[in-house]
Amino acid sequence: MLRSALLAASRSPQVRTMVEKFPPTHAIVERFVAGDRLDQGVSATETLVASGRKVTLDHLGEDTKDADQAAGTALAYEHLLTALKDTGLAADAEVSVKLSAVGQFLPVDGEKIALENARRICQAAADAGTTVTLDMEDHTTTDSTLAIARELRADFPWLGVVLQAYLRRTEADCRDLSGAGSRVRICKGAYKEPESVAFQGKRDVDLAYVRALKVLMAGEGYPMVASHDPNMIKIAGQLAEWNKRDTTSFEYQMLFGIRPEEQLRLAEAGNTMRVYLPYGQEWYGYFMRRLAERPANLTFFLRAMATRG
Ligand SMILES: Cc1cc2nc3c(=O)[nH]c(=O)nc-3n(C[C@H](O)[C@H](O)[C@H](O)COP(=O)(O)OP(=O)(O)OC[C@H]3O[C@@H](n4cnc5c(N)ncnc54)[C@H](O)[C@@H]3O)c2cc1C
């Protein structure tokens, strides 16, 4: 119930205005977001890389309804990738892109515009010597995102995609995408989805996550295990061992600000541990999904509201 309400609120302009204007929000957002500006994203990347972790940066934004804004987001990624190259961070830091931020939902030629903007970002990543992963949004975008990924992979074979274990289709998608050279980030899924397309309860989602992991770990691609769940992390490690994968043939990923000690433990044990690091002003949707995931995050927020609001 609570998760559904928060995910619905994540798309409500009225709630957005209220949350954004509430002063303590900003202190809480800082836990999950590097800052508003590019230099803050780069500086947080430097700190994470110095601690032995790798990074995937997200220039925050989604659901863009304006072609200029979509092009502006692509330009922001180009600047970011130049900065990663110039600071010598590109070997350890890639970028994550939401196609809805670069035009996928525009009413006229949305997919074409998103493809062209994503292509610019991929070219900038290639020039910098790093990679791109396409984030996955709600299930209405899955086919379009995978189709755009297929087109881009013809020129940029290292392009990564995200699959969401809660979707009933995902085990089959994992099979399709487990071939040599493919990079797949497997996560549980963060959106409110109907029962017709997605498993609803935690147990069913966890079981689906393990099935997806089994396919990816047995395949020839590079699985990116995106979860904070101790059980999923343990099972991923066991599956890697059973499939005789060494630590360079898959990686763990977690979100910035979540379980940092576990991130360091995994990195210090010799694994590749990549942190998803968002920066930028459009933090609202991202922040609300993090609140929806974990009641403790919400309690913290509500306590701040009660004492200061
Ligand atoms: C790198 C990365 C990229 C992602 N990209 C996408 C994407 O493109 N599309 C998408 O839909 N979703 C994405 N997600 C979000 C993802 O789908 C989940 O919503 C999110 O990761 C929560 O699921 P979980 O696997 O961590 O497990 P959950 O079921 O949320 O948590 C399971 C357990 O993990 C531990 N845990 C979780 N959070 C915390 C915490 N804050 N502190 C301490 N312990 C905690 C607890 O033990 C908890 O019981 C991404 C997640 C990551 C890590």
Side-chain angles (χ1 to χ4, degrees):
M1 273 294 276
L2 186 60
R3 178 174 179 271
S4 299
L6 285 163
L7 290 177
S10 75
R11 289 197 151 149
S12 156
Q14 288 83 5
V15 182
R16 177 178 179 148
T17 308
M18 210 176 78
V19 172
E20 284 183 345
K21 282 199 176 138
F22 177 58
T25 304
H26 295 264
I28 301 161
V29 168
E30 274 173 21
R31 196 186 135 198
F32 301 109
V33 174
D36 282 355
R37 302 186 316 268
L38 184 152
D39 64 302
Q40 292 171 307
V42 171
S43 150
T45 301
E46 253 160 1
T47 308
L48 289 163
V49 168
S51 73
R53 286 169 281 184
K54 297 201 183 280
V55 174
T56 183
L57 281 124
D58 167 26
H59 174 80
L60 286 164
E62 52 199 271
D63 293 352
T64 298
K65 303 278 174 358
D66 170 312
D68 288 343
Q69 201 184 350
T73 300
L75 185 64
Y77 272 103
E78 287 174 319
H79 288 153
L80 167 62
L81 285 155
T82 303
L84 293 177
K85 184 180 175 195
D86 292 348
T87 49
L89 289 165
D92 294 308
E94 62 142 38
V95 298
S96 285
V97 177
K98 284 189 175 47
L99 288 179
S100 78
V102 292
Q104 193 178 27
F105 293 162
L106 293 175
V108 181
D109 288 338
E111 287 191 10
K112 190 164 161 265
I113 292 168
L115 172 64
E116 286 321 310
N117 282 328
R119 190 183 292 285
R120 276 172 55 193
I121 298 171
C122 287
Q123 188 56 57
D127 295 344
T130 187
T131 53
V132 177
T133 298
L134 295 182
D135 284 348
M136 193 59 85
E137 301 176 69
D138 73 62
H139 80 277
T140 62
T141 68
T142 311
D143 281 327
S144 154
T145 300
L146 292 180
I148 290 174
R150 252 191 312 276
E151 287 222 29
L152 289 169
R153 273 174 53 85
D155 294 321
F156 308 101
W158 40 255
L159 178 76
V161 291
V162 179
L163 295 176
Q164 298 152 314
Y166 64 11
L167 293 185
R168 296 178 193 275
R169 59 178 284 168
T170 289
E171 198 178 338
D173 286 334
C174 285
R175 271 191 217 101
D176 287 350
L177 290 166
S178 63
S182 93
R183 290 168 68 242
V184 175
R185 174 194 299 158
I186 181 74
C187 66
K188 288 190 187 175
Y191 295 81
K192 180 169 159 43
E193 299 289 13
E195 197 169 351
S196 52
V197 299
F199 301 108
Q200 303 290 313
K202 175 167 166 57
R203 187 181 144 74
D204 286 342
V205 175
D206 285 0
L207 288 172
Y209 193 96
V210 174
R211 287 196 297 274
L213 271 180
K214 279 185 178 165
V215 175
L216 295 174
M217 285 290 184
E220 295 175 283
Y222 182 82
M224 302 184 276
V225 182
S227 178
H228 313 98
D229 188 332
N231 289 329
M232 300 305 123
I233 291 163
K234 201 164 149 204
I235 291 168
Q238 283 167 350
L239 286 170
E241 228 176 280
W242 290 343
N243 286 287
K244 305 204 173 0
R245 282 178 173 270
D246 66 27
T247 51
T248 61
S249 70
F250 72 102
E251 69 183 46
Y252 295 101
Q253 298 190 343
M254 291 191 195
L255 302 177
F256 178 66
I258 301 187
R259 303 199 72 204
E261 304 81 16
E262 177 66 359
Q263 294 175 12
L264 288 170
R265 186 192 71 78
L266 285 165
E268 278 157 17
N271 300 288
T272 301
M273 171 75 238
R274 192 178 298 275
V275 178
Y276 186 103
L277 179 68
Y279 76 94
Q281 293 172 353
E282 295 286 320
W283 47 259
Y284 178 72
Y286 181 86
F287 174 66
M288 293 301 278
R289 288 194 295 279
R290 302 296 78 81
L291 289 189
E293 268 156 22
R294 191 160 167 83
N297 291 338
L298 181 66
T299 312
F300 187 49
F301 183 62
L302 292 177
R303 201 177 294 135
M305 262 186 146
T307 52
R308 294 212 235 162

